Amino acid sequence: MLIPMMLALPLVLCWILYLVFRILQLLTNKDEWLRKNLLPFGVNVIALTLSFVLIFVTTSRANSTPALIASLGHISPHYPNSVHNQMSRVIKRGPEVVAPLSTTLEQVLDREYISPFRTAQIAYCLSQIGGEQAEAALQQAIEQHITFDDDFYGKWETAVCCLYAESARERAVPTLMNLLNSAEEKQANSQKLIALLALARTQDPAAVETVLDHADFLKTQLLGKNTPYRQTVQINVTLQALSEGQSPADLSASPIYEPLRLGLNPDSRTKTGIKWDDRWNGELDIEALKAHWSAILK
């Protein structure tokens, strides 16, 4: 949208100045001006009209739902505020964009190369709009397209699982529990880790208890030499949420999206009483925390 407008606006300004100049000439020497300049005057009026039409059409197309969806993933994640503003424009369209977003997500995941930025941003829009169709699209992405065997794709896989958990809450638990219990072979640790991170964000009592039961596994992953830094941050803030959280919202407030560097940026808007620490290493009283969250989430 910006490029056509940047090209067209200077031309429009020049035509306006030219027409003003010609009109002034007309007022001073009407008959002679009409004879000599009627044709070029008419051509410039038509060109000016077409320029305004071009700007209007370009702007309308840029603001259309297909154009907004097509733009997702094309702004660098190094500008998260710009990315978030772009996603907000899609989200404001509400349920009407769920179907095209779902179709686009399926098309993106069917490609040989999957763009982590575009995938995560589409998933974020779906999670924020919510509803049965949006949840079904995210669930399908998890069940049919996530493999957990490639560290590069691990970023968007984590994002999709956690966004699905936040959107569907208790309805997401069966799918995430299946991920946890079906983990095997070389991707087992990664799959279990992502499933546990997502389960904590569902705010479901049984899911939270399951995460606490796997606290030793999470701590083991923190000490693993092959655990990426982004995952150690996610584990730390998740354990901190379980240890210090006082409300259900605290469970899904931990800033696990920031280290993914996908431009999602919802964490910067999170308001909570917890002072998040990427290197949190506090002690966990598992039984006490189970009782704590059982009382809060009942």
Side-chain angles (χ1 to χ4, degrees):
M1 179 177 70
L2 293 177
I3 295 176
M5 289 185 67
M6 290 175 62
L7 295 174
L9 287 176
L11 294 175
V12 170
L13 180 60
C14 291
W15 274 319
I16 291 174
L17 294 175
Y18 174 78
L19 291 176
V20 170
F21 172 72
R22 287 299 189 179
I23 290 172
L24 291 175
Q25 282 188 328
L26 170 64
L27 295 176
T28 57
N29 195 353
K30 187 183 301 183
D31 294 336
E32 182 180 355
W33 188 91
L34 286 174
R35 287 195 303 271
K36 294 182 178 180
N37 299 291
L38 183 60
L39 179 60
F41 180 80
V43 170
N44 279 277
V45 169
I46 293 173
L48 181 61
T49 302
L50 291 176
S51 297
F52 278 115
V53 171
L54 175 62
I55 293 174
F56 175 78
V57 171
T58 303
T59 303
S60 298
R61 290 186 61 185
N63 286 322
S64 67
T65 296
L68 286 176
I69 294 175
S71 69
L72 293 174
H74 293 293
I75 296 180
S76 170
H78 296 295
Y79 303 96
N81 291 330
S82 298
V83 174
H84 196 75
N85 289 335
Q86 184 183 36
M87 293 188 295
S88 296
R89 295 175 63 196
V90 177
I91 294 167
K92 288 178 181 178
R93 302 284 169 111
E96 72 176 67
V97 300
V98 170
L101 278 173
S102 301
T103 301
T104 303
L105 180 61
E106 182 67 21
Q107 293 171 346
V108 170
L109 294 176
D110 278 337
R111 294 175 182 170
E112 183 176 354
Y113 168 76
I114 300 175
S115 168
F117 310 118
R118 185 160 169 75
T119 303
Q121 290 167 25
I122 293 173
Y124 179 75
C125 292
L126 287 169
S127 71
Q128 294 300 297
I129 297 171
E132 292 183 3
Q133 188 175 1
E135 290 178 12
L138 295 173
Q139 180 179 356
Q140 181 177 349
I142 293 172
E143 293 178 343
Q144 298 184 11
H145 296 283
I146 291 182
T147 60
F148 303 99
D149 60 0
D150 190 318
D151 184 59
F152 177 75
Y153 288 149
K155 290 185 176 183
W156 70 258
E157 291 176 341
T158 301
V160 170
C161 288
C162 291
L163 291 169
Y164 175 54
E166 295 171 19
S167 177
R169 298 291 172 81
E170 69 279 356
R171 295 182 296 277
V173 173
T175 298
L176 297 173
M177 289 294 290
N178 182 60
L179 288 181
L180 178 66
N181 296 326
S182 63
E184 57 184 17
E185 298 181 356
K186 63 178 183 180
Q187 78 274 19
N189 287 344
S190 178
Q191 183 171 333
K192 288 178 65 176
L193 173 58
I194 293 175
L196 290 169
L197 293 175
L199 281 168
R201 304 179 83 81
T202 62
Q203 302 179 19
D204 177 77
V208 171
E209 183 174 349
T210 297
V211 178
L212 289 170
D213 286 336
H214 287 79
D216 289 340
F217 167 79
L218 294 175
K219 290 182 177 181
T220 300
Q221 292 302 299
L222 283 176
L223 301 175
K225 294 182 179 180
N226 297 323
T227 304
Y229 172 74
R230 69 171 187 275
Q231 290 185 347
T232 63
V233 171
Q234 292 165 340
I235 295 170
N236 280 327
V237 295
T238 298
L239 293 176
Q240 185 181 7
L242 290 167
S243 177
E244 301 179 9
Q246 298 299 318
S247 71
D250 290 339
L251 292 174
S252 54
S254 58
I256 65 170
Y257 297 107
E258 290 180 1
L260 295 177
R261 299 293 187 266
L262 293 173
L264 298 182
N265 202 33
D267 300 317
S268 65
R269 301 178 296 109
T270 298
K271 295 180 180 180
T272 176
I274 300 175
K275 185 177 180 181
W276 300 108
D277 183 1
D278 293 352
R279 300 180 182 276
W280 187 87
N281 62 353
E283 294 295 326
L284 297 175
D285 185 337
I286 302 302
E287 295 305 318
L289 287 176
K290 285 183 179 180
H292 170 72
W293 287 111
S294 177
I296 293 176
L297 300 174
K298 63 180 179 180

